[in-house]
Amino acid sequence: MSGRMGLALAGATLVIAAVLLPGKAEAQFGLRGGPLGVARFAVGHMLGLSRLRHSRMAVRGSRYRSAALRSQDPRGAERGQPSNPYVLRAALTAQAALAGWQGGRRPQGWWRHPDGSYGWAGPVFWPFAHDDLTTAIIFGDATSLSLYGYGDIYAALFTPYAATELAAYTVPQGRRARKIPSAETLCEASDTGGLPVERIASAVQPNEPQRAALDELAAAWLAARDTISTACPAQAPTSASERLGLMRERLEAMIKATDAIEASLAKFVGLLNDDQKSRLNALANERRAALASRQPRDSKDSQKDAAKEASRDAQAAKACRPDYDPRYDEKAQRQYEQLVQQQWPAADIASTLHLDEIARARFEVLQDTTLRTMQTLSACPTEPAATPQARLAAVKARLATMLEAVGGVSDALDDFEFDLSDEQKAGFEAIGPKRGA
């Protein structure tokens, strides 16, 4: 199993390595925040990997190419389903993301998340947006939400899809069953049942006024889903600028969705007594226990995997210490330099597009601005907030931070492309699919 584990994590290795930025890279790209600041991007991903150790092995792109994308409840255990929620989620997004992708020879796409899922599935950004909000706010599990960041912004700049591949996700449904799901189908994947009303009711045993407030909250939750659905792309984006625009629209819709449920959530929780509030808050602990029960036990491979995870957890903790300086982590420095060379071949881009000195400088600003999102979209491990209201505030803050980061990259891209000819812009768009070849 350890060998398979290596395959499952191969796509995540460079993303994790990138976060322990060495001093040389900090100077080259003008990254701010000091050693602790530039190291923290690793923590969120390492924490996510630690939580997802039970699901990685089942996530392999080739296995799920033929899986049918369907609306299901990724929470799995909460509705009595045997499926691990993260395995199911990764399976669905992998099938959808790879169905129209012909840019590489590997069974996994380079833009996937560390858990095997995909933040970009064709023209759709954040397919399970509504469910992620529910899981983070009610069940205190922001694992999937925390995996969105630099990699998704990079994939918006250098799309893995050619124009014809993206267009396949938005063509009208034909008579025959299509292998590539429509963008509308992908957006509907977020509709997985809304608020788990009966689960909450079973936990808190509401009286009549409380039940009425819970039903009101459920209605607000469905309205939030509809708000997110309005940000589903009707047409495939044709440029990096349009893809970043789709990211902004999706994030803005998610923030509006949290606004839509805030008052109803406060009203419902306000009607609960202390014991009921404790039982509501305990749903998060129950979820963690249910997921932990699915982890493989009592095998040599499991023991080896556990040892590897312990090593990664130790590295995450090390990166969060005040005295940690990534400039003296030689392994991290080598990995980071390798990532920059592979992902940001600035010299090749400049020569291919025939950029003058001004355009080169603007491209360096774009590169610098994008790399800084590693810092702004990361944080050291912390215990999740104890209450749904506090978790909602944390989710909204995270989304606002990501929206600001995407806006900054979008502005830098606009500056870079301002004086480019149509031919140069087309050349820049053509670079993206080649990154996965």
Side-chain angles (χ1 to χ4, degrees):
M1 184 180 290
S2 59
R4 294 171 63 196
M5 175 71 76
L7 285 175
L9 293 177
T13 301
L14 290 178
V15 176
I16 298 170
V19 297
L20 301 176
L21 305 183
K24 177 179 178 181
E26 183 178 359
Q28 179 179 356
F29 299 115
L31 293 166
R32 312 292 192 265
L36 179 60
V38 297
R40 284 183 174 172
F41 177 70
V43 176
H45 285 270
M46 288 182 177
L47 179 61
L49 290 172
S50 177
R51 290 175 179 172
L52 297 165
R53 62 170 62 94
H54 56 275
S55 67
R56 293 193 191 105
M57 291 311 307
V59 181
R60 302 185 69 178
S62 58
R63 179 183 306 177
Y64 295 121
R65 283 182 183 272
S66 60
L69 183 71
R70 59 196 182 278
S71 290
Q72 297 189 43
D73 187 349
R75 288 183 290 276
E78 281 68 45
R79 296 182 180 254
Q81 299 175 5
S83 300
N84 182 294
Y86 294 112
V87 172
L88 175 59
R89 172 199 181 89
L92 295 177
T93 58
Q95 186 276 330
L98 301 177
W101 182 62
Q102 304 296 325
R105 301 181 180 90
R106 299 179 181 178
Q108 299 94 5
W110 56 261
W111 71 105
R112 65 176 180 161
H113 288 177
D115 68 336
S117 65
Y118 287 78
W120 278 99
V124 177
F125 172 65
W126 213 316
F128 283 95
H130 183 249
D131 189 77
D132 280 349
L133 295 184
T134 303
T135 304
I137 296 168
I138 300 301
F139 297 106
D141 186 354
T143 302
S144 296
L145 188 148
S146 69
L147 297 179
Y148 282 84
Y150 164 78
D152 302 292
I153 297 174
Y154 179 88
L157 288 173
F158 300 100
T159 176
Y161 301 97
T164 54
E165 295 167 354
L166 275 179
Y169 286 89
T170 56
V171 296
Q173 179 72 51
R175 291 183 178 181
R176 294 182 299 175
R178 51 186 291 159
K179 296 181 179 179
I180 301 176
S182 67
E184 183 180 2
T185 299
L186 292 173
C187 292
E188 289 176 352
S190 262
D191 182 7
T192 56
L195 186 72
V197 175
E198 296 309 317
R199 180 72 188 278
I200 295 174
S202 177
V204 304
Q205 296 295 308
N207 57 31
E208 187 173 345
Q210 292 168 344
R211 180 66 200 217
L214 178 57
D215 291 340
E216 181 181 325
L217 176 60
W221 220 274
L222 291 177
R225 175 205 63 191
D226 294 340
T227 297
I228 296 174
S229 297
T230 60
C232 185
Q235 298 180 339
T238 59
S239 66
S241 179
E242 290 184 4
R243 288 187 293 273
L244 290 170
L246 285 176
M247 292 185 76
R248 291 199 305 273
E249 292 176 8
R250 195 76 164 165
L251 290 167
E252 288 170 351
M254 293 176 72
I255 292 173
K256 289 180 180 178
T258 61
D259 290 336
I261 63 178
E262 189 170 12
S264 297
L265 179 61
K267 177 181 178 180
F268 171 65
V269 174
L271 291 174
L272 303 180
N273 59 40
D274 290 342
D275 180 59
Q276 288 174 311
K277 291 177 181 177
S278 296
R279 281 181 271 153
L280 177 62
N281 297 337
L283 290 177
N285 295 329
E286 293 175 12
R287 176 184 173 84
R288 284 191 287 271
L291 291 176
S293 67
R294 291 186 175 86
Q295 297 183 33
R297 300 177 184 276
D298 302 326
S299 71
K300 292 182 179 180
D301 287 335
S302 296
Q303 293 174 2
K304 292 179 181 179
D305 294 341
K308 292 180 180 179
E309 294 296 343
S311 175
R312 294 188 185 96
D313 291 344
Q315 179 63 36
K318 175 184 176 183
C320 282
R321 292 204 305 260
D323 60 346
Y324 177 72
D325 191 337
R327 292 175 297 178
Y328 301 106
D329 190 330
E330 294 183 2
K331 181 178 180 180
Q333 182 172 342
R334 289 195 302 271
Q335 290 174 324
Y336 174 74
E337 290 176 347
Q338 180 182 12
L339 177 137
V340 171
Q341 291 172 1
Q342 290 181 348
Q343 285 200 345
W344 292 93
D348 291 342
I349 291 175
S351 61
T352 300
L353 303 185
H354 305 291
L355 300 180
D356 58 25
E357 291 185 5
I358 294 177
R360 283 175 181 252
R362 288 175 176 171
F363 179 76
E364 289 176 0
V365 171
L366 172 62
Q367 179 179 355
D368 173 35
T369 303
T370 307
L371 284 167
R372 288 184 196 175
T373 66
M374 290 183 180
Q375 294 173 248
T376 57
L377 298 176
S378 62
C380 283
T382 58
E383 288 296 322
T387 68
Q389 289 167 288
R391 292 194 288 265
L392 185 147
V395 167
K396 185 186 295 187
R398 169 73 182 186
L399 294 173
T401 300
M402 188 166 187
L403 178 61
E404 183 178 1
V406 173
V409 174
S410 182
D411 289 343
L413 176 65
D414 289 344
D415 290 342
F416 166 61
E417 293 188 328
F418 182 76
D419 289 329
L420 296 186
S421 66
D422 291 341
E423 182 180 359
Q424 288 174 311
K425 292 178 181 178
F428 182 73
E429 288 300 321
I431 289 172
K434 296 178 181 178
R435 309 305 302 145

